[in-house]
Amino acid sequence: MTPIDNCYRQEERLKSRKQIAALFKNRQSIGVYPLRIFWQCSPQKETSLPKIAFSVSKKTFKSAVKRNRYKRRMREAYRLNKGKLTEGLVAEGLQANFMLIFVGKEEYNFKQIEKAWIALVD
């Protein structure tokens, strides 16, 4: 994998409200505590990277500093370990949208979040 593949580019960010609403309407999800991932796949004619968004509950973590910290940790875990996920989707010719949600209530360090992300992808 080249260093450019280890980026989290603008094209990979899920920002469309319609696509996010479709994710939750579809209700396909799996969880490995403290993470839960929702996804939606569709056939794609041209190869493109999967789109992903990250979320942390305001109800659980009142402080924006803590919410942003967990979103940074989730983005970094995704960026470092997205190879397996993207290779499988590109090989099958699918376009996928993901929403990764932090559902934990306690403090977690980066290694614990990365371990949960790897378990989700495998």
Side-chain angles (χ1 to χ4, degrees):
M1 198 181 314
T2 62
I4 193 83
D5 291 336
N6 251 356
C7 295
Y8 179 53
R9 297 186 200 101
Q10 196 70 23
E11 304 91 49
E12 296 179 69
R13 296 170 197 235
L14 180 63
K15 297 179 275 188
S16 169
R17 288 184 187 259
K18 288 182 183 179
Q19 290 177 341
I20 292 171
L23 276 174
F24 291 110
K25 188 176 181 181
N26 192 10
R27 298 267 177 165
Q28 287 184 323
S29 73
I30 191 168
V32 173
Y33 198 79
L35 302 176
R36 175 157 293 280
I37 191 165
F38 288 83
W39 74 88
Q40 180 183 26
C41 294
S42 61
Q44 186 70 13
K45 294 178 183 174
E46 54 193 54
T47 58
S48 63
L49 296 170
K51 294 187 176 197
I52 188 166
F54 302 92
S55 178
V56 179
S57 172
K58 191 174 185 178
K59 185 176 182 181
T60 306
F61 294 100
K62 306 283 188 216
S63 169
V65 172
K66 287 186 180 182
R67 288 194 308 273
N68 291 335
R69 180 182 305 139
Y70 286 112
K71 285 191 264 187
R72 277 195 309 271
R73 288 176 180 173
M74 289 190 299
R75 279 193 301 265
E76 185 67 6
Y78 167 75
R79 186 186 72 80
L80 293 174
N81 301 293
K82 70 178 180 177
K84 291 181 184 177
L85 180 70
T86 56
E87 288 172 6
L89 291 169
V90 170
E92 295 179 23
L94 295 174
Q95 168 61 42
N97 295 329
F98 298 99
M99 171 70 88
L100 188 63
I101 300 174
F102 186 85
V103 294
K105 298 190 184 322
E106 310 86 40
E107 296 285 328
Y108 286 91
N109 63 25
F110 172 73
K111 288 293 182 189
Q112 293 167 321
I113 292 172
E114 185 178 33
K115 185 177 177 183
W117 170 252
I118 292 170
L120 277 174
V121 174
D122 288 338

